[in-house]
Amino acid sequence: MIIGIDLGTTNSLVAYYTEDGPKIIPNRLFKNLTPSVVSVDEDGQVYIGETAKERMLLHPDSSASVFKRSMGSEKIYELSGKRFLPEELSALILRALKEDAEVYLGEEITEAVVSVPAYFNDERRKATKRAGELAGLKVERIISEPTAAAIAYGLYQNRENGKFLVFDLGGGTFDVSILELYDSIIEVRAVAGDNFLGGEDFTKVIENIFFEKNPDINKDDLSDKELRHINKQAEKCKLGFADERVSVMSCVIKDNTYEMPLSIDEYEAKCDELLDKIRQPIKRSLSDANIRLKDIDRVVLVGGATKLSFIRKFVGKLFHNLPDTSINPDEAIALGAAVQGAMKERKDSIREVILTDVCPFTLGTEVVLEKDNGRFEDGHFCPIIERNTTIPASRTERLYTVNDNQTQIRCKILQGESRFASNNVMLGEIRIKVPKAEAGKEAIDVTYTYDVNSILEVEIKVVSTGEITKQIIKTNATDMSDEEIKERMEALSYLKIHPRDKEENKLLWLRGERLYEESIGRNRMEIEYALREFEKALDSREDSVIEGARRDFKEFLEEFMD
């Protein structure tokens, strides 16, 4: 059986699929949520979940939480003399979930679908996969959290086509994904997010209000234990807003009791800065998907932080649309991951759905640019596959030599959004030999082909000689063998054919060219405009754009010929 796991910043969950749908598996304490906390005592005993969370209040220096935010980094957590990377701490959480599932289901579990924030880059996804392997799990798929939530909500079972936005505000990360449904296909149109924005930050606001209202408390004089106590009471105060418009935070510090009543209105006003941070990824995703706010048919709320009443009110006002909260926002992602696991097992009881995904980050290379004074400046980033491009995808960029008698071109393979190459993540490098010639006379065609399995093929062709060099980059630590990767890339070779050269497009283009030559005056101008619009769509290399443009151009030609 393939289980589904939501490896969260604050809490983690595990689920499995039954004939009646996906179900959450309770942990050893009979609770659905397992706190993502690890603690180690002086004897080396490791505690996970609720026990670790309780121990953290007494021994914060030997406990760790919120380590998901550092996933993929070299940050070290030292707990009672033992050193852990974030992925190693995550592996301990995953192993506990695996063991809980085995006890509950009465069978050995070796495979899982694990969710990650949509905006996790490949280093973070690799680290998540390594965490699964350390926990004794083969990670069958890394699934984006909003996509998992969309599956859990059964968007694909909805008969009406439409555009949906998944608003995922968890304990430590924020994701927004725009998905489009048609027939049994869920197409991810755009993703955006903030890996350092979540419920923990909204708790921190209450902490700051507490210190502001109690200036006699010097934060720098407090011990780690006292700071952890304040954090816990701030969290309880935040949860109190679920039932009341005024919540009370109560703390005992150095034998003094402090009580702070806090109204929901005052709290919301103090959260303005965080709400502004939420708006930015929403704007970016709508822009990338070329969709207007009013075009969104349904908004789905996911993540524990969305249980805050003013967050729900904020989303409702923003979209002029009552958000969907029909599934427990804490559980939606794990349930969706379990459904995805069932799809991979091809269970008869589940309807098959096609999921298309996008590149969360831009892939490109480093280039030099000519400045106004005629001098060249290196270190600039040239995008080749833009973020939020539907995958699989293939794009080509032609690059030229910049020096006389240049004998080689260095192609750095980069991932990121900065216009400066040094600010982006370097995935690899290829050096290509070119014949000596005058500057600008030699060129290479750089083709990036990116697969749904997170495999990137970089193909470089020297234009003058036809010599081709290829390199495969397994950007998501895929389990596919070299032979399987080769077969997959051969199967995707059709993507490298420019849409202009595909027969159905070529036929229409030639027909348009013929009619242009046969026409004069206003008719010729109209045909030229239609041809330019069709060519613009072909150059976008986006299937959905090309399909619509081809249909429109065909109708135009048929009307014109009538």
Side-chain angles (χ1 to χ4, degrees):
M1 174 178 290
I2 301 176
I3 57 174
I5 294 177
D6 174 9
L7 182 61
T9 306
T10 307
N11 294 294
S12 296
L13 303 90
V14 57
Y16 74 116
Y17 192 81
T18 73
E19 289 186 359
D20 297 324
K23 305 288 184 186
I24 297 293
I25 297 174
N27 61 25
R28 59 204 72 184
L29 298 176
F30 308 105
K31 294 183 178 180
N32 288 356
L33 300 180
T34 297
S36 300
V37 183
V38 176
S39 188
V40 181
D41 67 18
E42 58 276 7
D43 297 324
Q45 176 71 40
V46 178
Y47 301 90
I48 305 295
E50 197 75 39
T51 308
K53 185 177 181 180
E54 196 65 40
R55 190 177 186 278
M56 184 168 61
L57 296 172
L58 298 172
H59 305 282
D61 56 335
S62 59
S63 306
S65 62
V66 200
F67 38 81
K68 178 178 174 179
R69 283 185 166 181
S70 302
M71 189 71 90
S73 73
E74 296 300 315
K75 182 176 179 179
I76 299 293
Y77 292 80
E78 189 162 330
L79 311 181
S80 295
K82 295 183 180 293
R83 293 162 62 85
F84 298 90
L85 288 167
E87 64 206 64
E88 292 170 330
L89 293 172
S90 297
L92 294 172
I93 301 293
L94 290 172
R95 188 171 66 187
L97 296 173
K98 173 182 182 290
E99 290 169 354
D100 289 338
E102 288 175 334
V103 170
Y104 184 83
L105 298 171
E107 62 179 90
E108 183 183 10
I109 300 296
T110 58
E111 299 171 292
V113 171
V114 180
S115 66
V116 296
Y119 216 53
F120 256 25
N121 65 15
D122 285 308
E123 283 304 312
R124 293 171 179 269
R125 291 172 187 247
K126 280 182 186 177
T128 303
K129 197 156 192 175
R130 283 196 297 269
E133 291 164 356
L134 289 170
L137 287 167
K138 179 184 179 184
V139 180
E140 284 290 341
R141 176 166 178 177
I142 295 286
I143 186 171
S144 294
E145 290 171 0
T147 305
I151 295 172
Y153 271 83
L155 297 184
Y156 68 93
Q157 293 175 340
N158 199 324
R159 292 184 180 180
E160 295 182 6
N161 294 343
K163 297 178 179 67
F164 305 89
L165 184 140
V166 178
F167 182 101
D168 180 5
L169 186 62
T173 59
F174 172 57
D175 276 331
V176 56
S177 287
I178 296 174
L179 306 101
E180 186 165 5
L181 164 73
Y182 48 96
D183 299 327
S184 58
I185 298 172
I186 295 177
E187 179 181 349
V188 180
R189 292 287 302 275
V191 298
D194 189 330
N195 291 327
F196 297 93
L197 175 63
E200 299 284 341
D201 301 286
F202 286 88
T203 302
K204 188 67 68 178
V205 169
I206 296 179
E207 284 187 47
N208 293 337
I209 295 172
F210 177 77
F211 285 117
E212 286 175 12
K213 292 191 174 184
N214 295 282
D216 57 311
I217 301 175
N218 188 339
K219 190 175 181 179
D220 296 332
D221 292 339
L222 299 179
S223 65
D224 287 345
K225 184 176 177 180
E226 288 167 327
L227 290 171
R228 181 57 62 184
H229 170 66
I230 290 171
N231 176 264
K232 181 181 180 181
Q233 297 308 114
E235 178 72 17
K236 286 178 69 175
C237 179
K238 183 180 76 174
L239 296 177
F241 288 119
D243 302 313
E244 304 290 341
R245 290 193 60 80
V246 176
S247 187
V248 178
M249 177 176 171
S250 180
C251 290
V252 178
I253 302 171
K254 302 188 188 306
D255 296 327
N256 293 318
T257 300
Y258 296 85
E259 288 202 346
M260 181 190 74
L262 182 63
S263 72
I264 187 70
D265 293 332
E266 182 184 0
Y267 179 38
E268 182 178 354
K270 290 287 188 179
C271 291
D272 272 350
E273 189 175 331
L274 292 177
L275 295 177
D276 281 339
K277 289 180 73 175
I278 284 175
R279 286 188 178 92
Q280 299 313 309
I282 292 173
K283 289 179 181 177
R284 188 163 65 247
S285 63
L286 288 168
S287 174
D288 286 355
N290 196 25
I291 290 174
R292 295 169 297 179
L293 207 63
K294 66 179 184 179
D295 295 331
I296 299 296
D297 299 303
R298 189 171 167 195
V299 178
V300 171
L301 294 190
V302 181
T306 61
K307 289 187 284 189
L308 280 168
S309 59
F310 72 83
I311 293 291
R312 295 187 175 190
K313 185 175 73 172
F314 168 78
V315 175
K317 283 184 177 179
L318 190 62
F319 290 96
H320 308 290
N321 194 337
L322 194 64
D324 190 332
T325 57
S326 56
I327 295 181
N328 184 333
D330 282 323
E331 300 176 355
I333 292 168
L335 294 172
V339 175
Q340 178 62 39
M343 288 179 184
K344 288 196 73 69
E345 290 182 298
R346 299 193 176 278
K347 297 226 181 232
D348 294 335
S349 57
I350 191 166
R351 176 184 169 187
E352 187 64 30
V353 59
I354 299 170
L355 296 173
T356 72
D357 216 332
V358 293
C359 274
F361 286 83
T362 299
L363 297 164
T365 188
E366 181 179 357
V367 294
V368 299
L369 294 182
E370 187 173 4
K371 310 301 285 185
D372 293 337
N373 57 12
R375 297 177 63 184
F376 289 99
E377 181 179 88
D378 62 9
H380 290 268
F381 181 57
C382 172
I384 295 179
I385 295 181
E386 298 270 15
R387 71 168 186 265
N388 287 323
T389 297
T390 300
I391 53 177
S394 186
R395 301 288 186 271
T396 301
E397 191 74 27
R398 179 164 290 188
L399 305 176
Y400 295 86
T401 55
V402 293
N403 297 312
D404 291 338
N405 298 317
Q406 189 171 329
T407 59
Q408 71 171 6
I409 296 176
R410 182 177 63 174
C411 179
K412 287 186 179 180
I413 303 156
L414 303 169
Q415 176 191 66
E417 306 305 329
S418 175
R419 63 193 182 97
F420 297 110
S422 60
N423 294 338
N424 295 321
V425 178
M426 185 165 166
L427 302 177
E429 180 178 297
I430 303 176
R431 292 177 182 265
I432 303 298
K433 291 182 179 180
V434 294
K436 289 183 179 180
E438 188 180 334
K441 297 297 184 182
E442 284 294 327
I444 57 172
D445 282 339
V446 182
T447 300
Y448 281 19
T449 304
Y450 193 65
D451 179 42
V452 290
N453 298 301
S454 297
I455 302 165
L456 173 64
E457 180 196 67
V458 179
E459 177 183 292
I460 301 178
K461 179 181 179 181
V462 180
V463 176
S464 64
T465 65
E467 184 180 349
I468 293 175
T469 302
K470 293 182 182 181
Q471 182 172 322
I472 297 288
I473 296 176
K474 302 177 185 180
T475 59
N476 198 20
T478 177
D479 292 327
M480 296 174 72
S481 67
D482 291 343
E483 187 61 34
E484 287 172 328
I485 291 172
K486 182 180 177 183
E487 289 177 4
R488 179 61 181 157
M489 283 300 154
E490 286 176 356
L492 294 180
S493 59
Y494 72 92
L495 290 173
K496 300 176 188 177
I497 302 172
H498 196 287
R500 289 175 183 276
D501 298 324
K502 291 185 177 179
E503 187 171 357
E504 63 269 33
N505 298 328
K506 191 105 176 177
L507 175 63
L508 286 178
W509 184 81
L510 288 170
R511 187 173 294 165
E513 284 288 306
R514 175 178 60 79
L515 286 172
Y516 176 84
E517 292 181 7
E518 293 175 355
S519 303
I520 58 172
R522 185 177 181 83
N523 287 346
R524 173 172 278 193
M525 291 172 61
E526 289 180 4
I527 295 169
E528 182 183 21
Y529 176 78
L531 272 168
R532 288 184 185 277
E533 290 299 302
F534 186 48
E535 288 168 345
K536 191 189 300 180
L538 294 175
D539 287 338
S540 76
R541 301 185 71 142
E542 293 288 345
D543 288 343
S544 58
V545 174
I546 292 170
E547 186 177 345
R550 182 170 59 237
R551 184 174 58 249
D552 293 344
F553 189 51
K554 185 177 180 181
E555 288 177 1
F556 168 81
L557 293 178
E558 288 173 350
E559 289 176 7
F560 197 88
M561 288 187 294
D562 287 345

